[in-house]
Amino acid sequence: MDQPMIGEIDLYGVLFPPLLVWLGIALLFSTLLRAGLKRLGLYRFVWHRPLFDLALLIILLGCVSLAMNRFF
């Protein structure tokens, strides 16, 4: 069973690994979600905010990676 290789993403002649692009997308979603959490005041329930933000980014990166692999 051969797995298809994921190629690099070409952006004006500069090749980027897909994980870097997915991380950028996840970072954008994370920034929006953190702003929403701060606005709603939900950070008061979080014990360690930087650790929570890192975990949120990793979870979002996994979701973006799963979505990109499934649909593209």
Side-chain angles (χ1 to χ4, degrees), residues 3-4 8 10 18-19 21 23 29-30 37 44-47 49 53 65 69 72:
Q3 294 286 334
E8 290 84 13
D10 185 8
L19 188 60
V21 176
L23 181 63
F29 286 146
S30 175
L37 289 172
R44 66 176 178 245
F45 298 114
V46 174
W47 171 66
R49 185 174 173 178
D53 290 341
S65 174
N69 280 329
F72 296 107

Side-chain angles (χ1 to χ4, degrees), residues 3-26:
Q3 294 286 334
M5 291 188 63
I6 299 174
E8 290 84 13
I9 297 171
D10 185 8
L11 186 63
Y12 298 110
V14 179
L15 298 175
F16 293 102
L19 188 60
L20 183 65
V21 176
W22 298 340
L23 181 63
I25 294 169

Side-chain angles (χ1 to χ4, degrees), residues 47-63:
W47 171 66
H48 197 273
R49 185 174 173 178
L51 187 61
F52 178 80
D53 290 341
L54 177 64
L56 183 66
L57 179 63
I58 291 172
I59 290 169
L60 288 172
L61 177 60
C63 292

Side-chain angles (χ1 to χ4, degrees), residues 25-46:
I25 294 169
L27 189 60
L28 177 69
F29 286 146
S30 175
T31 303
L32 295 173
L33 192 56
R34 285 184 304 168
L37 289 172
K38 186 176 181 182
R39 183 176 299 244
L40 293 173
L42 295 176
Y43 269 125
R44 66 176 178 245
F45 298 114
V46 174

